[in-house]
Amino acid sequence: MTQAPATEKRSARRHDREIISLALPAFGALVAEPLFVMVDSAIVGHLGTPQLAGLGIAAALLLTSVNVFVFLAYATTAAVARRVGAGDLRAAIRQGMDGIWLALLLGAALVAAALPTAPALVDLFGASGTAAPYAVTYLRISALGIPAMLVVLAATGVLRGLQDTRTPLYVAIGGFTANAALNAGLVYGAGLGIAGSAWGTVIAQCAMAAAYLTVVVRGARRHGASLRPDAAGIRACAQAGAPLLIRTLSLRAILMIATAVAARLGDADVAAHQVILTLWSLLAFALDAIAIAGQAIIGRYLGAEDVAGARAACRRMVQWGIWAGVVLGLLVAVSRPLILPIFTSDPAVHDLLLPALLVVAVTQPVSGVVFVLDGVLMGAGDGPYLAWAMLVTLAGFAPLALAVPSLGGGLTVLWWVMGLMMVIRLLTLAARTRSGRWLVPGAVRA
């Protein structure tokens, strides 16, 4: 009678060790991305307000264009992890190389599109006459680093699939340090102004891509994997990533709609919304770290055709998601009065933030489970369902959010609608997980 509980405890401890070993380094690497922008903003901000405004517009355009292709990391993680589970490291690295080649092709296309259209894109964002030239300068230079940024995404996916999240953390730390030093030296030491900040970021991103490629190429040579581009493999990567692209675009549309609705509510509302969205994104990094662990672990179990192991790992990660959400929610609820002065001293914004932040706190356990199940289904390669589920979520969220101003609702109501959006995601993802249809074993998802 006591043997089964003891076995379950040992299994839980094993899963806990796996989750912690993958999630903690992944969280550190995830935090590096916003730190890049923060360093650029801190350095450029001392040049003047127009320069800082130009950087803000250009950085938003740049990050949006790159982040929509985050499937390069997610799809590659799942595909490589399956091969690892099947014990075929040569095929795993070959699969990763296909993702890296796809990243280079997409990066080249984005550079070709961004350079001539930079002024029009900046104008589309409504940049002022004083900020627009700086935004165009930064965007055109930093766009040259897009291929490197996409390679970093794909190579990160390769290493995650190989169950290695420590190397991405080390590369991210090195990249952050190099970016800070280069920005300071080129902006002020060389007197290049905002152009120096852009060049510093490009050089740092290229160095990070080179570091990743060095690790992947060494692995390829060690296991005899080809480094040459394979048209069929690149095409398969693109097909696997297409549903995740739809998922990401749908999520971006939700966030854009929420910001547009907040803007219609008033200046204080949109200012408070931006603060909450910033905090919400930071909380998402912590939860996404568990999801990344889920991608790698679930892919490996299914590649090894261990369906029972995948199901048990999923259950344990859901428990992690719930507890992480509870802890983060309590931290937000308790620290609300301390958070407000960090971002603004405006009493009107404070009054809007307090109740809306409480909504964020209450909904964190739901977010925790959503992020975990998202990672589990990504690790299983269940991209088409994730795309469908996010489109359903967008269809449910959009009319409710757009109705908030006309019905006299304020920012707190808008964030309750955001919470409802997460509930819709939870229902669609939980239904799929319970069905067991995502449990498709094998080195390649059929």
Side-chain angles (χ1 to χ4, degrees):
M1 294 293 289
T2 60
Q3 187 174 359
T7 302
E8 290 177 3
K9 286 182 179 178
R10 286 196 298 272
S11 176
R13 285 196 296 267
R14 186 179 73 252
H15 290 312
D16 289 345
R17 286 193 297 269
E18 284 187 321
I19 294 167
I20 292 171
S21 65
L22 291 170
L24 285 181
F27 174 71
L30 287 169
V31 171
E33 180 185 306
L35 288 178
F36 265 72
V37 179
M38 286 176 62
V39 167
D40 289 1
S41 299
I43 293 173
V44 171
H46 291 286
L47 295 174
T49 300
Q51 289 90 333
L52 183 58
L55 170 66
I57 293 167
L61 286 165
L62 182 68
L63 291 177
T64 299
S65 65
V66 171
N67 287 340
V68 295
F69 295 107
V70 72
F71 72 83
L72 289 167
Y74 294 159
T76 304
T77 297
V80 171
R82 276 183 175 268
R83 297 285 192 177
V84 169
D88 192 347
L89 289 178
R90 178 180 178 180
I93 296 175
R94 175 63 258 181
Q95 189 101 40
M97 285 304 305
D98 292 335
I100 290 173
W101 280 111
L102 176 61
L104 286 169
L105 291 173
L106 290 172
L110 284 174
V111 172
L115 292 179
T117 60
L121 291 171
V122 169
D123 286 342
L124 188 64
F125 262 62
S128 67
T130 54
Y134 296 111
V136 171
T137 296
Y138 189 93
L139 182 58
R140 277 183 166 158
I141 296 172
S142 59
L144 299 175
I146 289 177
M149 296 172 76
L150 295 186
V151 166
V152 166
L153 283 177
T156 299
V158 175
L159 295 179
R160 288 173 181 170
L162 294 170
Q163 317 297 296
D164 176 11
T165 56
R166 291 183 180 274
T167 299
L169 173 60
Y170 300 148
V171 174
I173 292 172
F176 169 75
T177 304
N179 180 63
L182 287 166
N183 267 260
L186 294 174
V187 171
Y188 297 114
L192 296 179
I194 195 170
S197 177
W199 280 118
T201 301
V202 169
I203 294 169
Q205 292 287 353
C206 289
M208 291 174 66
Y212 275 117
L213 289 175
T214 300
V215 174
V216 174
V217 168
R218 283 178 180 171
R221 288 175 175 169
R222 187 183 309 120
H223 297 286
S226 173
L227 298 174
R228 295 180 179 179
D230 176 65
I234 294 171
R235 188 164 53 250
C237 284
Q239 290 172 347
L244 294 181
L245 176 62
I246 294 172
R247 167 202 167 275
T248 302
L249 289 173
S250 300
L251 180 57
R252 289 281 165 183
I254 287 171
L255 298 179
M256 289 176 63
I257 290 171
T259 301
V261 170
R264 290 171 61 187
L265 295 173
D267 289 347
D269 294 84
V270 74
H273 175 77
Q274 187 58 40
V275 171
I276 298 170
L277 200 58
T278 300
L279 181 62
W280 192 74
S281 299
L282 180 61
L283 297 172
F285 283 133
L287 298 175
D288 202 28
I290 304 174
I292 287 169
Q295 294 170 31
I297 293 170
I298 294 298
R300 192 188 75 236
Y301 273 115
L302 292 178
E305 302 192 7
D306 185 355
V307 172
R311 194 185 291 275
C314 175
R315 284 196 300 267
R316 191 58 179 171
M317 280 182 282
V318 167
Q319 293 171 359
W320 270 78
I322 293 171
W323 282 111
V326 169
V327 170
L328 292 174
L330 288 173
L331 285 174
V332 172
V334 171
S335 62
R336 282 183 304 153
L338 303 175
I339 292 172
L340 303 186
I342 297 174
F343 292 96
T344 178
S345 57
D346 189 335
V349 177
H350 282 194
D351 291 342
L352 292 167
L353 279 171
L354 279 171
L357 281 173
L358 187 59
V359 176
V360 173
V362 169
T363 55
Q364 279 308 293
V366 173
S367 298
V369 179
V370 167
F371 274 82
V372 166
L373 294 182
D374 209 35
V376 165
L377 296 182
M378 282 184 191
D382 206 10
Y385 182 85
L386 289 172
W388 175 85
M390 192 58 77
L391 287 172
V392 169
T393 303
L394 174 60
F397 169 80
L400 292 174
L402 293 172
V404 168
S406 59
L407 296 177
L411 188 68
T412 302
V413 174
L414 175 61
W415 274 92
W416 275 119
V417 176
M418 287 286 285
L420 179 60
M421 177 270 293
M422 295 302 290
V423 171
I424 296 173
R425 290 187 68 188
L426 174 62
L427 293 175
T428 56
L429 297 177
R432 183 65 166 184
T433 306
R434 286 180 175 275
S435 74
R437 294 177 183 175
W438 57 281
L439 289 162
V440 180
V444 179
R445 184 182 173 95

